[in-house]
Amino acid sequence: MQTRKLGSSGITLSAIGYGAMSFSDFYGPTSEEASHAILDTMRARGVTHLDTANVYGAGRSERWIGSYLAKNKGARDDFVIATKASITQDADGKRLLRNDAEHLESELEKSLEKLGVDHVDLFYIHRREAGRPVEEVAETLDRLRKSGKTRAVGFSEIAPATLRRAAAVTRIDAVQSEYSLQTRSPELGLVQACAELGTALVAFSPVGRGLLTDAPIPLERLKDIPFLKGNPRFWPDNYPANLKITDAFRALAAEKGEPAAAIANAWLLAQGGHVLPIPGTRSVQHFEECLRGAEITLTPEDLARIETVLPVGWAHGDRYSVDQWVGPERYC
């Protein structure tokens, strides 16, 4: 596994990591045993970047990572662990975003307890609280980093302008954003700002929530996956068109003798040395297909062909529904 730097933090980690939202039932049921098998694969393949959050499975993702670390002495040293906080609920059960110091400090302590560690390597603001000055939030992150409870800090789903404001206060080591051949919006300023500021761009959903794989989720299964059922790109009037378009990408990958997921991750790695994909899956086999991307060097001709079959803006439907857009910052 090739390695890359986590921004200017001094931390080295695997070029491809793992997104442990899949340790919840977000895309379908899984188990602690299956999740531990993924962690075994990470260690066997030298994959160190492990990304989770306090809300994944209502804390289950962190607990299962914690139970794995407890059972495997010395395993903590094999991972660069990232977690996030800020998403919570109000008294009526509606989504609420909190970036105040009291909440962030409390949630980080809870995460450390669930994980069974004395610090994490990267702590993110999961979603920005729009009414709170980002400079204040950056100061809180700086204090948490200086406390030793996290080695690095970052934000998830923020705009380039917000990153610049935060970086004027303290070093921002990473920004996490959806980025793939399906979602190219980070190229409108975020990829560039991260490179300029020495910030890693951690790309979640690098295989387009399954669309950029050899086995996309069948239309009939979407009704059992609430998030995808409500996502415009997976609506019945958009999904068949998106499947048809991505058939050409699957054919291109097959021609090269590679899994489509491997090509999708290799494409991201080719977008800059600061780009770090974190695929998430419940299947060891699918994870191996993603990891193959780190072993592929795409030529300029390969990149041009990929651009031809999946040009910018090919996807039918917005990347989020109105409700799903609560939290991420739009900047285009």
Side-chain angles (χ1 to χ4, degrees), residues 52-54 82-87 97-101 103-105 107-108 122-130 132-134 136-142 144 150 152-158 162 166 172 174-177 327-329:
T52 186
N54 63 343
T83 195
K84 316 175 196 72
S86 78
I87 299 176
L97 304 179
R98 288 186 59 181
N99 290 177
D100 57 283
H103 178 75
L104 295 174
E105 291 168 4
E107 290 303 308
L108 177 54
L122 173 57
F123 181 66
Y124 289 101
I125 303 297
H126 205 162
R127 294 290 186 270
R128 184 190 172 194
E129 180 186 348
R132 187 177 300 275
V134 71
E136 174 191 325
V137 184
E139 289 176 356
T140 299
L141 289 176
D142 186 52
L144 289 173
T150 181
V153 298
F155 288 83
S156 180
E157 294 272 50
I158 60 167
T162 303
I172 303 302
V175 169
Q176 188 169 135
S177 184
E329 289 192 317

Side-chain angles (χ1 to χ4, degrees), residues 125-208:
I125 303 297
H126 205 162
R127 294 290 186 270
R128 184 190 172 194
E129 180 186 348
R132 187 177 300 275
V134 71
E135 291 82 1
E136 174 191 325
V137 184
E139 289 176 356
T140 299
L141 289 176
D142 186 52
R143 287 195 300 273
L144 289 173
R145 181 168 49 201
K146 289 175 178 175
S147 76
K149 292 179 181 178
T150 181
R151 298 170 64 198
V153 298
F155 288 83
S156 180
E157 294 272 50
I158 60 167
T162 303
L163 169 60
R164 293 182 188 281
R165 288 173 58 190
V169 176
T170 189
R171 187 187 77 234
I172 303 302
D173 302 298
V175 169
Q176 188 169 135
S177 184
E178 183 175 358
Y179 185 27
S180 71
L181 279 163
Q182 176 182 266
T183 298
R184 304 279 293 271
S185 52
E187 294 171 5
L188 297 176
L190 190 60
V191 174
Q192 298 87 339
C194 286
E196 175 188 335
L197 296 169
T199 299
L201 176 54
V202 177
F204 72 82
S205 296
V207 295

Side-chain angles (χ1 to χ4, degrees), residues 249-278:
F249 177 69
R250 280 180 280 279
L252 182 155
E255 181 183 325
K256 291 184 65 64
E258 300 288 358
I263 299 298
N265 280 278
W267 180 87
L268 275 168
L269 293 175
Q271 303 312 301
H274 63 305
V275 178
L276 304 169
I278 50 166

Side-chain angles (χ1 to χ4, degrees), residues 10-11 32 36 40 56 70 78-79 103 119 133 136 155 175 179 181 187 214-215 233 237 257 295 308 313:
I11 297 172
E32 185 173 18
H36 284 187
D40 282 336
Y56 293 166
D78 295 333
F79 296 112
H103 178 75
H119 74 280
E136 174 191 325
F155 288 83
V175 169
Y179 185 27
L181 279 163
E187 294 171 5
D214 292 317
R233 291 183 178 170
D237 54 345
E295 302 168 0
T308 298

